[in-house]
Amino acid sequence: MNLRRLPFTREISLGVLVYLYVPVMVLIFYSFNANRTATVWSEASLDWYRKILVNPSIRDATWNSLVLATAAGLGSTLLALAAALGTKNRFRGLAVVEAILNAPLILPEVVVAVATLMLFVAIGIDMGLTAMIPAHIAFCIPFAYLPIRARLEGMNPSLEEAAQDLYANRFVTFRRVTLPLMWPGIMAGFTLAFVTSLDDFLTSFFLSGPGSTTLPVYIFSAIRAGITPEINAISTIMLIVSVALVVTSFLLGKIRR
Amino acid sequence: MTNPQSAISVQSVSKSFGRGDSAIKVLQDVAVEIGTREFFTLLGPSGCGKTTLLRLIAGFEELDSGSILIDGERVDHLPPFRRPVNTVFQNYALFPHLSVAQNVAFALEMQSLSRAEVIRRAGEALEMVRMAAFANRKPSELSGGQQQRVALARALAPRPKVLLLDEPLSALDLKLRKQMQIELKQLQAEAGITFVFVTHDQEEALTLSDRIAVMQGGRILQLDTPRAIYERPSHRFVADFIGDINLLEGKVDGGAIQLDCGASVAGNFGHAPGDRVTVAIRPERARLAKSGEGSFAAEVMHSAYLGTATLLQLRLADGREFLLRETRIGEGAAPPEKGSRVSVHLPDSALQVFAA
Ligand SMILES: Nc1ncnc2c1ncn2[C@@H]1O[C@H](COP(=O)(O)OP(=O)(O)OP(=O)(O)O)[C@@H](O)[C@H]1O
Ligand SMILES: [Mg+2]
């Protein structure tokens, strides 16, 4: 059946688009507003961007977020890669293993965050980045795993056999054939994990300690003091960073292929 | 029993997949000696175990029992990368992330040759399959036939003792396949390499091979030259599988075979009286004859002019079909018309008789 022939396809699509993106557009628009009150337009200005660039707490929070997201992205991608390779050959318990790996997608994050907090307190781990990094790695695993797995499934198994047939041992086969072919999946997995960690509020909020505030946590506390255009500006920058990352990884994946 | 001349010696190899009751026996007690520089073909219907035998020789599957020797040395415990054979995969399996030149150089780099040597020999291999002009392309930018040639060059570049080819031509259209068949044969002669070639196309097997092993259900039924397999099939299955053939059921009656269609054939061909047998005859060996001694009547159902011959589709007295390929309907002599009655003669020397 031709989808374009269904009635109102165009209208509904347009409605969904507006529904999804209008809030973000408004946020970006008002980040260039000179007025102190975030929702009243006076004139265009870059003042808020200038302000956040010199604000030391924002700079620290940005740094923390980037460190955390990088660590979570790398850690979870490595684990996901190992999991994907380990489950490459179909076996009986594969569905169970996948369910366990992907559990963070369904488990209520607040429950896991509280549980992690209690565990860390019980075993005496200080709150802060040391607590946040392992927690972020854990919930980022499925985001890294799914694209890697998809890529691996799509790979022609005779390519690895061909490499071995042409005198490459298992290690060389992995380095010269498997890894390069999986690279787009790995990049996509890392990017998704990175962005997911960058955006996380709940887990970070529960586990952050003095000096380890991340951007989402900072925005949350700032907003309690009143919505300012400053927050719009920070959010806009975060948005741009995320989108840029996803686009870059997409393009890199395309070139690699 | 090891033949010192054999390039490959497969000795009573068995292989099954799965375990316990659900195990499927894919190869049963297969034994083959393949000579050096031989063009050896594994021929058989889908699922008969051709690919499995090839994968066992290459090292992608493990034997259940038996042994495999290459140039007199046991290889069945060695991983694929330690065996002096290369494979041309059915789907080519070219590395999509590497250029044509890098694909061909892959095995050479593994052999720790100098950079210059790698480039020289990869170039040579590409030259041999006339693909040098495409060295910098990616496999995805090549046609099927071109990919096939690159796969061949990649497997030939390290100069293996044996090349294993799994239906390498099956993805090509007819014209290209014919052309590649000739090229393959030439290449094999030039490079002086043993070829183990898998196909389920009997015509391809007959034209290319020095010897053919006809397989069915995990066993080798007959192993012989193309001529012997075509002219003296050892099993009814082989006769039926290779080329067109007429199979006539009958019963041994004293010194003759009484066919169900009414005709009789002199001689019992070594079968005991009372035995049910199948008499096989190729369409081109049966003759149109004057009615009388040693011939039987048939009705012409269809007559197809093929240029070099006329193919007659006949109906026998018992309703069975019979194919007859007549090359002697010359100038002036019109082929029998549809619906007309002819008589068919079966020369004794053209008959094969199998126990039914
Ligand atoms: N990995 C496997 N696991 C289970 N059964 C298998 C496996 N590989 C092959 N088989 C079975 O073994 C039998 C022989 O397979 P094989 O691929 O050798 O056939 P083939 O002669 O190459 O057929 P084709 O002409 O279709 O390629 C088939 O019945 C197939 O289903
Ligand atoms: Mg096969």
Side-chain angles (χ1 to χ4, degrees):
Chain A
M1 190 169 59
N2 190 344
L3 221 88
R4 298 177 127 259
R5 293 250 180 80
L6 287 174
F8 305 120
T9 306
R10 185 187 302 246
E11 289 75 7
I12 293 172
S13 312
L14 219 69
V16 170
L17 222 67
V18 167
Y19 170 71
L20 283 176
Y21 289 106
V22 160
V24 178
M25 290 303 170
V26 169
L27 176 134
I28 294 174
F29 183 69
Y30 277 105
S31 72
F32 298 103
N33 182 6
N35 201 312
R36 184 115 278 293
T37 319
T39 47
V40 181
W41 180 263
S42 54
E43 60 175 321
S45 106
L46 287 173
D47 271 0
W48 302 111
Y49 287 93
R50 230 168 273 137
K51 275 214 175 95
I52 61 174
L53 284 181
V54 295
N55 181 335
S57 3
I58 293 179
R59 229 187 300 153
D60 288 349
T62 308
W63 178 246
N64 285 337
S65 274
L66 288 178
V67 168
L68 179 61
T70 307
L74 286 177
S76 60
T77 305
L78 273 178
L79 288 173
L81 180 61
L85 289 173
T87 57
K88 192 167 71 170
N89 298 320
R90 310 205 141 271
F91 58 96
R92 210 179 265 255
L94 182 60
V96 179
V97 171
E98 291 217 304
I100 293 173
L101 277 170
N102 295 332
L105 292 179
I106 353 164
L107 292 180
E109 193 187 345
V110 64
V111 175
V112 178
V114 170
T116 312
L117 174 67
M118 281 159 59
L119 174 73
F120 284 178
V121 167
I123 59 177
I125 289 178
D126 289 337
M127 292 307 126
L129 276 179
T130 38
M132 287 149 87
I133 288 173
H136 273 233
I137 287 178
F139 75 73
C140 284
I141 284 176
F143 296 96
Y145 176 78
L146 290 174
I148 292 177
R149 176 86 211 177
R151 184 78 193 167
L152 197 61
E153 300 248 302
M155 205 165 90
N156 177 355
S158 45
L159 292 175
E160 286 179 322
E161 287 181 348
Q164 293 209 14
D165 190 65
L166 299 165
Y167 313 124
N169 61 30
R170 277 175 244 282
F171 174 72
V172 176
T173 298
F174 180 74
R175 194 169 55 81
R176 297 275 314 261
V177 175
T178 318
L179 200 57
L181 288 176
M182 287 181 60
W183 196 246
I186 296 172
M187 286 297 290
F190 172 79
T191 311
L192 268 181
F194 185 95
V195 172
T196 307
S197 161
L198 194 68
D199 169 59
D200 178 74
F201 169 71
L202 258 177
T203 306
S204 297
F205 182 70
F206 277 79
L207 300 180
S208 62
S212 69
T213 305
T214 62
L215 269 181
V217 176
Y218 176 85
I219 292 173
F220 174 74
S221 42
I223 226 158
R224 292 214 292 195
I227 302 171
T228 66
E230 213 173 5
I231 290 169
N232 288 2
I234 302 170
S235 309
T236 303
I237 289 177
M238 270 184 82
L239 189 79
I240 290 169
V241 169
S242 298
V243 170
L245 246 169
V246 173
V247 170
T248 316
S249 113
F250 176 76
L251 290 179
L252 277 181
K254 275 225 134 160
I255 293 164
R256 272 272 176 171
R257 223 166 295 195
Chain B
M1 271 238 323
T2 312
N3 180 347
Q5 256 89 62
S6 292
I8 301 180
S9 160
V10 175
Q11 300 174 349
S12 54
V13 160
S14 294
K15 170 76 185 167
S16 41
F17 288 107
R19 245 172 257 153
D21 294 340
S22 61
I24 323 162
K25 286 188 179 170
V26 173
L27 291 177
Q28 300 180 50
D29 206 22
V30 169
V32 195
E33 300 286 330
I34 299 171
T36 308
R37 303 188 171 207
E38 188 172 16
F39 198 121
F40 189 91
T41 299
L42 297 171
L43 175 66
S46 187
C48 70
K50 308 180 295 288
T51 297
T52 306
L53 182 54
L54 215 63
R55 289 173 60 81
L56 282 166
I57 297 173
F60 302 131
E61 307 283 355
E62 273 180 51
L63 295 172
D64 292 347
S65 63
S67 53
I68 294 176
L69 288 78
I70 296 175
D71 267 355
E73 285 185 46
R74 257 193 101 146
V75 295
D76 46 59
H77 56 282
L78 296 177
F81 51 88
R82 294 245 166 75
R83 300 189 187 195
V85 297
N86 287 148
T87 307
V88 177
F89 291 82
Q90 183 163 5
N91 55 17
Y92 311 139
L94 294 176
F95 303 126
H97 59 298
L98 301 181
S99 71
V100 165
Q102 287 169 326
N103 262 282
V104 176
F106 192 91
L108 301 170
E109 284 166 10
M110 297 301 128
Q111 293 179 322
S112 50
L113 301 170
S114 71
R115 191 72 215 142
E117 185 73 359
V118 168
I119 293 171
R120 192 180 65 76
R121 282 184 42 190
E124 264 177 29
L126 279 177
E127 206 66 61
M128 190 154 54
V129 296
R130 292 186 276 110
M131 285 295 292
F134 299 85
N136 296 321
R137 296 247 195 125
K138 285 283 174 70
S140 56
E141 298 160 352
L142 301 178
S143 74
Q146 291 168 338
Q147 289 184 33
Q148 204 272 331
R149 278 186 232 185
V150 174
L152 205 60
R154 184 179 71 173
L156 284 171
R159 298 181 191 150
K161 291 175 178 161
V162 176
L163 199 63
L164 310 173
L165 305 104
D166 193 352
E167 307 202 23
L169 308 181
S170 61
L172 308 181
D173 63 49
L174 188 67
K175 193 167 165 228
L176 193 53
R177 194 155 76 220
K178 295 275 181 224
Q179 185 189 332
M180 287 303 303
Q181 283 175 1
I182 297 166
E183 288 182 19
L184 260 187
K185 187 74 184 170
Q186 280 175 354
L187 217 78
Q188 191 251 348
E190 273 168 35
I193 294 176
T194 307
F195 271 33
V196 183
F197 186 86
V198 165
T199 183
H200 56 236
D201 178 342
Q202 39 104 4
E203 203 180 311
E204 189 168 285
L206 292 175
T207 29
L208 293 178
S209 322
D210 294 323
R211 283 193 306 156
I212 299 173
V214 182
M215 297 180 65
Q216 187 208 11
R219 291 177 193 279
I220 292 179
L221 290 185
Q222 185 172 10
L223 198 166
D224 219 324
T225 61
R227 176 178 288 269
I229 285 194
Y230 187 80
E231 292 178 3
R232 294 186 305 280
S234 63
H235 293 68
R236 191 197 148 124
F237 175 84
V238 177
D240 202 12
F241 190 72
I242 313 279
D244 289 327
I245 200 155
N246 297 297
L247 297 169
L248 304 169
E249 313 286 331
K251 188 173 161 188
V252 181
D253 183 9
I257 297 170
Q258 203 62 47
L259 297 177
D260 297 353
C261 64
S264 77
V265 171
N268 61 15
F269 295 84
H271 293 272
D275 281 0
R276 294 288 306 170
V277 292
T278 301
V279 174
I281 182 162
R282 299 279 177 202
E284 68 272 18
R285 302 291 302 270
R287 293 267 170 265
L288 287 182
K290 300 257 176 348
S291 61
E293 191 65 3
S295 65
F296 55 90
E299 185 190 346
V300 178
M301 300 297 296
H302 187 78
S303 158
Y305 178 63
L306 304 177
T308 54
T310 303
L311 189 66
L312 298 176
Q313 201 176 328
L314 309 175
R315 186 157 63 192
L316 306 182
D318 63 348
R320 297 271 196 134
E321 267 188 24
F322 189 93
L323 281 181
L324 191 149
R325 194 181 163 98
E326 183 57 79
T327 51
R328 296 175 309 174
I329 298 170
E331 283 170 46
E337 273 173 38
K338 187 175 168 185
S340 66
R341 297 192 68 79
V342 293
S343 65
V344 178
H345 174 63
L346 308 178
D348 282 356
S349 63
L351 300 180
Q352 292 276 316
V353 180
F354 307 108

